[in-house]
Amino acid sequence: MRKQIVAGNWKMNHDLAETESFLVGLKEQVFPEEVTVMIAPSFTQLHHTYKSLRDHPVTTVAQNMHQAANGAFTGEVSAKMLKSVGINTVIIGHSERRAYFNEDHDTLAEKVNAAIEEDMTIIFCFGEELNDRKSDAHFDVVKKQLEDSLFHISDHSWKQVILAYEPVWAIGTGETASPEQAQEMHAFIRKEIAAAASQKIADEVSILYGGSVKPNNATEIFGKKDVDGGLIGGASLAVDSFMEIVNSF
Ligand code: PEP
């Protein structure tokens, strides 16, 4: 049975006061036992959020990390540093990191290796741009993203991986991939994992969909057989909309 997961990516939103107010609301909620729930605040709120949620079913996740263990990388944070404040899960390869911070395939492969080495769980994001889809190159693009940065890991490291298919054209745009488009791509991804690793690994890895998931479309998207939940941006910023999505399976 694959894990059903809803992870909120706050991006560069919510300062300390806003985070605290979200956490107060979150802790009043009842969580479905079968859903793994995660939130990814900014670096400055990570330790506070982790401490606040320590005895709570929601996991605190980092949005990024540097691939080096330490050194002269001003402004960056390593896997070890994340672990030292209680964070064991990290998002790697979000399309905004790829687009605005020039994170290429090799850098992402190094980040994957560094996170695995530190025994962290990775939420590995990937997905095609609008031009790729229009030119019917979306399957090739997705396959290459996975081959270049992820498929080199050893079989036993796959238990540390959660995938998030996020078509770039659907992120923050209000435009969602149709449930059928999401299912078609998730089935393709699973097939590629079976070829690169094994059928067992492909059957066990959770593949989330991300891109304008909202309370009014989550049930239909999560209802597809190869969609195991969502990575949620905008709708994860308020407790009400986030919880509606958490309860959409
Ligand atoms: C994201 O940032 O990963 C995301 C899916 O954002 P949104 O839900 O706002 O499209």
Side-chain angles (χ1 to χ4, degrees), residues 9 11 94 96 166 170-173 210-214 231-235:
N9 172 18
K11 314 189 186 194
H94 192 280
E96 287 151 17
E166 300 204 301
I171 296 181
T173 59
S212 299
V213 176
K214 307 286 177 208
L231 182 57
I232 319 298

Side-chain angles (χ1 to χ4, degrees), residues 65-70 76-78 103 107 110-115:
M65 56 168 256
H66 194 271
Q67 60 273 29
N70 56 267
E76 293 291 329
V77 166
S78 70
E103 293 195 357
T107 305
E110 286 178 39
K111 290 190 181 209
V112 164
N113 294 342

Side-chain angles (χ1 to χ4, degrees), residues 33-246:
E33 262 177 33
E34 67 282 7
V35 183
T36 301
V37 181
M38 305 177 171
I39 52 170
S42 66
F43 280 138
T44 54
Q45 319 309 333
L46 276 179
H47 189 44
H48 175 74
T49 305
Y50 163 74
K51 280 202 299 190
S52 174
L53 295 177
R54 203 177 351 215
D55 299 319
H56 194 271
V58 177
T59 303
T60 308
V61 172
Q63 297 177 18
N64 181 35
M65 56 168 256
H66 194 271
Q67 60 273 29
N70 56 267
F73 301 104
T74 302
E76 293 291 329
V77 166
S78 70
K80 262 200 173 67
M81 290 171 175
L82 294 175
K83 290 198 73 175
S84 75
V85 294
I87 306 302
N88 293 310
T89 306
V90 59
I91 298 173
I92 291 179
H94 192 280
S95 62
E96 287 151 17
R97 300 289 321 168
R98 293 175 190 256
Y100 307 142
F101 302 97
N102 302 320
E103 293 195 357
D104 60 17
H105 298 310
D106 293 341
T107 305
L108 295 176
E110 286 178 39
K111 290 190 181 209
V112 164
N113 294 342
I116 285 177
E117 181 92 350
E118 280 300 324
D119 228 4
M120 295 187 77
T121 295
I122 300 161
I123 302 177
F124 185 79
C125 302
F126 56 96
E128 82 282 1
E129 297 188 16
L130 187 57
N131 282 345
D132 303 323
R133 188 157 275 265
K134 281 189 173 157
S135 60
D136 226 12
H138 46 298
F139 292 115
D140 290 343
V141 168
V142 160
K143 184 175 175 185
K144 188 158 168 43
Q145 288 172 329
L146 293 169
E147 283 176 348
D148 287 351
S149 307
L150 190 70
F151 279 178
H152 63 279
I153 65 171
S154 62
D155 283 3
H156 72 267
S157 299
W158 275 94
K159 63 179 183 319
Q160 291 165 248
V161 176
I162 298 164
L163 294 174
Y165 166 59
E166 300 204 301
V168 179
W169 48 272
I171 296 181
T173 59
E175 186 158 348
T176 327
S178 69
E180 291 70 30
Q181 285 173 320
Q183 168 56 31
E184 183 186 37
M185 182 57 88
H186 284 219
F188 171 78
I189 294 161
R190 234 180 266 292
K191 182 170 72 70
E192 293 304 320
I193 296 169
S198 72
Q199 188 63 52
K200 183 171 184 297
I201 289 170
D203 288 341
E204 286 176 358
V205 68
S206 293
I207 308 178
L208 315 185
Y209 169 80
S212 299
V213 176
K214 307 286 177 208
N216 65 4
N217 59 23
T219 301
E220 222 192 326
I221 297 169
F222 296 172
K224 291 295 175 191
K225 90 173 167 48
D226 286 297
V227 178
D228 303 307
L231 182 57
I232 319 298
S236 72
L237 292 171
V239 172
D240 288 357
S241 51
F242 187 54
M243 286 309 298
E244 276 191 65
I245 295 171
V246 167

Side-chain angles (χ1 to χ4, degrees), residues 5-26:
I5 301 169
V6 174
N9 172 18
W10 287 0
K11 314 189 186 194
M12 200 170 71
N13 294 295
H14 283 350
D15 63 16
L16 183 58
E18 291 161 334
T19 299
E20 185 49 29
S21 143
F22 182 99
L23 293 173
V24 168
L26 190 73

